Amino acid sequence: MTPLRIRFLEDMQLHGYSPKTQSCYVGAVRGLAKFYRKSPEQISEEELRRYFLHLTLEKKVARPTATIALCGIKFLFQNTLQRSWTSLKLLRPPKEKKLPVVLSRQEVQGILGCVHTPIYRACLTTIYSCGLRLSEGIFLHPCDVDSGRMLLRVRGKGNKDRYVPLPQRTLEQLRQVWATHRSRTWLFPAATRRGVQYSVQPITPSTLQRAFGRALKQSGVHKAAHVHSLRHSMATHLLEAGVNLRIIQSVLGHATPTTTALYTHLTHQVRESVKTPINELMNGL
């Protein structure tokens, strides 16, 4: 490991970044170094500018990829290398407005019913019923379950903990699954290759995504859904049930209500409210 990478990692640790964020930022800087085949210390401001033009105009990377690359590289040059370049202030990831995929309640039930491995089904059910991100779900510990108050402790984004309501049916599934492995560390430990014993590590994101993908295909639901769609769906279903937007914001762990307000565009009530006016517009055409 080079002295620059060691210093880069130390600076990120001092800023309180999670191991996942550190890994993403290191990967972003590695991509820059690989592109020019030299150390980032030797890269000029003009070269940096051209690299981001390459990502935006030629590779046409998605906004999340561009954001990670921008944040990681800016952190390196501004904090570790102490370079106050003007172009660093001008760089912005491309803007996009995409509505998330939302599943109906029946579709959620159908997909989860096609997950045949109990530990995967319990994890996906918990993600849906508690509105969790994928990483929040797989990294749950047995001690996070407060059955007395029917709450689940969630270690959220940016090391921000929160408590969310724990449905009785979800608690029952968690108890049933935990009885099969009795891990003191993880609620959802990964199975070994033998499929009988369980690992000291939790199930991986890719494993859970594949399990969801198989269930989605088997269920016959023709939507481009993924595990995170369960979180979007849960928020939309709560909004349709009349739950206050600020309460949903708290459950999801959103920093601002603006993010949560996105789901107001996806509810059944909003869609139904425009059907009659649109049908009237079409009368006589």
Side-chain angles (χ1 to χ4, degrees), residues 142-158:
C143 60
D144 293 329
V145 178
D146 187 342
S147 58
R149 296 190 297 161
M150 295 302 292
L151 293 174
L152 184 69
R153 180 189 178 190
V154 181
R155 292 166 176 80
K157 209 172 181 180

Side-chain angles (χ1 to χ4, degrees), residues 214-263:
R214 290 192 297 268
L216 176 67
K217 186 176 181 179
Q218 187 176 345
S219 70
V221 175
H222 301 291
K223 289 184 178 179
H226 41 78
V227 173
H228 203 67
S229 302
L230 295 174
R231 173 176 159 93
H232 294 316
S233 303
M234 179 266 196
T236 305
H237 298 162
L238 287 182
L239 200 57
E240 290 175 340
V243 178
N244 184 276
L245 196 65
R246 294 302 294 268
I247 295 176
I248 299 175
Q249 175 192 346
S250 175
V251 170
L252 296 179
H254 286 160
T256 65
T258 305
T259 307
T260 317
L262 168 70
Y263 299 110

Side-chain angles (χ1 to χ4, degrees), residues 277-285:
I278 288 176
N279 285 325
E280 289 178 354
L281 289 174
M282 295 302 295
N283 287 338
L285 293 181

Side-chain angles (χ1 to χ4, degrees), residues 147-172:
S147 58
R149 296 190 297 161
M150 295 302 292
L151 293 174
L152 184 69
R153 180 189 178 190
V154 181
R155 292 166 176 80
K157 209 172 181 180
N159 295 321
K160 295 178 181 178
D161 290 3
R162 69 183 187 278
Y163 281 96
V164 301
L166 179 62
Q168 179 64 38
R169 179 61 185 139
T170 303
L171 175 61
E172 292 171 1

